[in-house]
Amino acid sequence: MIEYKILDSSDIEDITNLDQIRLASFSIKEGNNFFIDNIKSGNMQAIEMIVNNNVVGGAYLFISPNTHSITIERIFILDKYQHNGFASLLLEHILSLKELFEDKYNMIINCSIAEPSNDELIKFYKQNGYKGPNAIGTMKRYLDYEITNIIKK
């Protein structure tokens, strides 16, 4: 069974645990508190992916009130769960979260490519309908479903 949980600033323990999964999935021994601090301040949201009661991955979303867009800053799955379609399921779940978009954000979902030479990540996003990357490592996807009240006028 697959479940998803949106984390906010009140879920400090879950956010800290999720960040440990991010570090492990990228083989990073120690990280800074960039993502945790931004979630606490309300600039980002985190989503956990839970498979059979185990958190196997997640995503960090940067919400930009200035550009009325959302950027997937990181999407990550633990190594032993990779290459089984979980990242694609998580990505599609993010795109289905209308409450993140309604009356606030347009229908462009950006994704950040921290390492422009990461061919595997670029291939993953292209397989999921993204275009790019551009010169600063951003790929874009316009949402497939129609929500006419998303674009803030």
Side-chain angles (χ1 to χ4, degrees):
M1 181 168 81
I2 299 175
E3 301 172 81
Y4 303 92
K5 181 179 177 185
I6 297 176
L7 305 176
D8 60 30
S9 59
S10 66
D11 299 310
I12 299 303
E13 186 175 333
D14 288 342
I15 292 166
T16 302
N17 292 336
L18 185 62
D19 206 53
Q20 292 303 309
I21 291 172
R22 175 188 64 89
L23 295 174
S25 69
F26 289 110
S27 300
I28 300 171
K29 298 205 183 316
E30 187 177 318
N32 59 35
N33 289 330
F34 174 79
F35 293 109
I36 295 171
D37 291 343
N38 275 286
I39 293 166
K40 286 180 184 177
S41 69
N43 293 326
M44 295 182 88
Q45 283 191 305
I47 299 177
E48 283 183 327
M49 181 181 211
I50 305 160
V51 176
N52 298 325
N53 297 319
N54 296 308
V55 178
V56 301
Y60 291 131
L61 310 176
F62 177 72
I63 300 167
S64 175
N66 296 333
T67 61
H68 303 287
S69 64
I70 293 176
T71 298
I72 300 170
E73 284 294 331
R74 297 289 183 275
I75 190 166
F76 46 91
I77 303 293
L78 285 172
D79 285 349
K80 72 179 187 174
Y81 294 94
Q82 290 181 8
H83 305 289
N84 290 302
F86 289 117
S88 293
L89 289 172
L90 178 57
L91 182 60
E92 287 306 313
H93 178 74
I94 292 167
L95 297 176
S96 74
L97 293 172
K98 294 178 185 179
E99 66 268 20
L100 291 178
F101 308 112
E102 286 188 281
D103 297 325
K104 297 176 188 170
Y105 303 102
N106 63 28
M107 294 188 294
I108 300 173
I109 305 297
N110 300 310
C111 57
S112 175
I113 306 293
E115 298 175 37
S117 62
N118 188 335
D119 292 334
E120 187 174 347
L121 185 59
I122 292 170
K123 180 181 173 186
F124 164 76
Y125 279 119
K126 284 185 175 182
Q127 287 173 337
N128 284 282
Y130 281 78
K131 307 292 183 216
N134 64 16
I136 59 170
T138 300
M139 299 180 75
K140 293 184 181 289
R141 176 177 172 182
Y142 295 84
L143 296 184
D144 296 332
Y145 55 84
E146 288 186 33
I147 304 175
T148 56
N149 64 341
I150 288 177
I151 300 175
K152 191 172 183 176
K153 308 252 183 212

